[in-house]
Amino acid sequence: MGLYGDDNGVTFCVGNGTTGGENYGVSVVRLRQMGTALMVTNHYTPANAATLNSADDDLTAGVAGIPGTGNIVSGGKEGPIYVLDNTLALKQTAHPPGAQDRDGLHSLAAW
């Protein structure tokens, strides 16, 4: 897994864990320094996060920026690539033929 940093903060994906409140398991999370503290400023959690967590299909591919767009991509063991905008809102879910269910996407460097 890798980190992605820009003027908005540092973005990364989280593996298995519970979601809701201040729990960000199976999520893409952005931290930003505010004063002397690191704060969660945005996050994206797939709608099926509980199912992904129970099947050990967490996000494992890290995050990468798409130059010139402000978008980032992430993915995981389930297979799809999530394209997120600058606020980490979902723009598109792509299902590349080489990353089928249970094969998963373990590294964006492979794509």
Side-chain angles (χ1 to χ4, degrees), residues 1-4 11-13 28 59-66 71-77 79-84 94 96 99 104-111:
M1 287 190 239
L3 302 173
Y4 173 73
T11 307
F12 57 95
C13 60
V28 176
L59 303 179
T60 57
V63 292
I66 302 173
N71 296 331
I72 65 168
V73 293
S74 186
K77 295 177 188 173
I81 295 174
Y82 302 107
V83 180
L84 307 170
L105 180 64
H106 299 279
S107 174
L108 291 170
W111 295 95

Side-chain angles (χ1 to χ4, degrees), residues 1 12-31 40 42-60 74-76 82:
M1 287 190 239
F12 57 95
C13 60
V14 178
N16 291 334
T18 57
T19 60
E22 293 184 2
N23 297 313
Y24 300 102
V26 193
S27 299
V28 176
V29 179
R30 177 174 292 138
L31 297 177
V40 173
N42 301 90
H43 75 281
Y44 166 73
T45 304
N48 62 341
T51 301
L52 295 174
N53 185 50
S54 66
D56 191 28
D57 280 344
D58 50 307
L59 303 179
T60 57
S74 186
Y82 302 107

